[in-house]
Amino acid sequence: MTDRHHVEIRRRLEAELTHLRRQLLVEGGVEACADENEFASRISELALSMTLLDRAGRRIREIEGVLRAMDAHDYGVCDACGDDIPLPRLLARPTTRLCVHCQAELEAQAGRPAGAVERIEAR
């Protein structure tokens, strides 16, 4: 991976991290309601917001972990086998911590179809 690729991936991750942090500050809260129906509607909206905020919080932690790995010069190395993760995979999913082979093995062990673990982790 070239320095240019490293800088571009970092820039993308930091931009997403800034967006997610702003989202956490803006979302949430139940204000005064005119009646019980409006209150129930707001509670339902709040439950959805809490789910989205939880997802954003997990994503923030994931991105922060990758940025720490970049600072420690451990970025782009598979956590399972230690091989380099191919650049196209890192460009497609900058927060991946496994090479394609190890990801496929993990999914096979979990009894999931290929790609299922990444979709679950992205939630």
Side-chain angles (χ1 to χ4, degrees):
M1 176 181 345
T2 66
D3 287 342
R4 185 178 64 81
H5 290 123
H6 188 86
V7 168
E8 174 61 21
I9 290 171
R10 176 178 281 282
R11 186 196 61 74
R12 286 175 39 199
L13 289 170
E14 287 175 345
E16 183 179 356
L17 189 59
T18 298
H19 171 75
L20 290 167
R21 286 180 173 155
R22 283 188 187 135
Q23 180 183 355
L24 284 175
L25 292 173
V26 171
E27 302 257 342
V30 177
E31 302 161 6
C33 299
D35 60 26
E36 291 177 11
N37 289 333
E38 182 180 353
F39 180 75
S41 178
R42 292 222 181 150
I43 292 295
S44 177
E45 291 170 5
L46 182 59
L48 177 60
S49 289
M50 295 298 285
T51 299
L52 294 174
L53 291 173
D54 180 59
R55 185 178 297 164
R58 283 188 308 233
R59 182 70 176 156
I60 286 171
R61 288 186 296 278
E62 179 182 35
I63 291 171
E64 288 173 340
V66 168
L67 292 174
R68 281 191 300 276
M70 285 180 154
D71 292 340
H73 305 289
D74 288 335
Y75 181 69
V77 177
C78 179
D79 285 351
C81 70
D83 288 344
D84 287 342
I85 299 172
L87 180 61
R89 179 162 172 79
L90 291 171
L91 291 173
R93 188 166 190 269
T95 56
T96 192
R97 302 297 302 236
L98 299 173
C99 67
V100 173
H101 176 76
C102 291
Q103 182 71 44
E105 282 185 11
L106 178 67
E107 291 170 0
Q109 290 172 1
R112 295 188 175 107
V117 172
E118 284 191 357
R119 285 191 299 271
I120 290 169
E121 290 174 353
R123 286 189 203 163

